[in-house]
Each structure stands twice: as structure tokens, then as C-alpha cells.
Amino acid sequence: MEIRESLRRWVRSRRGRVASADGFTDAALLLEERLVTSLDIAEFVVFIESLRGEPLDMQALTPADLASIDAIVERLFSMRPPEVTHAR
């Protein structure tokens, strides 16, 4: 839940009045509803990477991955590959 709240805060910090007035939900289409602009994308990706603690695979990233907070959490946070450990 903390990740979702961090993402909401980031969006509100960019679109304060719009995001607050509309009471946007985690399903809101961020680009289509202009909650995140094309100019915000690079900074948004860097912010997401900071929350993940690792870089995103930019070649595998699709627009759908960043469509909404729901999509971001589902695709970029819950489907993380398990860490590989090597037995000696």
C-alpha cells in the first residue's frame, strides 16, 4: 500500500489541483487524463525506479505498464523475478 500512496503523492505533486479536485483513482489513465504529461514521463520513470530500488528494463517497458497506478503496481512491482541464489 505504501507504493501506491507514494505514486499518488507524486502525481498530486505535479497536478495538485487537478488530481485533488477530480479525486483520481488508482485506475485513472494517467496520460489520457493528463495527470502525467509526456514531459513528466522521464522523471516519473526515475521515481518508479527509486521505489523499486533497481532500474526498469526500458526495452521491455510498454505504455500499458505506465497507464495507471494499478498497472504500475501490478506490472512493475508484483511481477518481480525471484532472487537467484547459488548453492556451493
Side-chain angles (χ1 to χ4, degrees), residues 55-66:
L56 293 170
D57 179 353
M58 297 307 289
Q59 292 183 344
L61 194 67
T62 68
D65 295 333
L66 302 173

Side-chain angles (χ1 to χ4, degrees), residues 16-78:
R17 286 195 333 244
V18 173
S20 296
D22 291 345
F24 81 97
T25 68
D26 290 354
L29 298 175
L30 299 173
L31 283 168
E32 290 181 23
E33 296 180 30
R34 297 183 187 250
L35 294 166
V36 174
T37 69
S38 58
L39 298 174
D40 295 326
I41 291 296
E43 190 175 345
F44 195 38
V45 166
V46 170
F47 179 71
I48 292 168
E49 288 176 331
S50 74
L51 292 175
R52 286 172 46 99
E54 64 185 13
L56 293 170
D57 179 353
M58 297 307 289
Q59 292 183 344
L61 194 67
T62 68
D65 295 333
L66 302 173
S68 66
I69 290 174
D70 282 341
I72 293 166
V73 170
E74 177 185 325
R75 297 172 186 214
L76 303 178
F77 289 92
S78 46

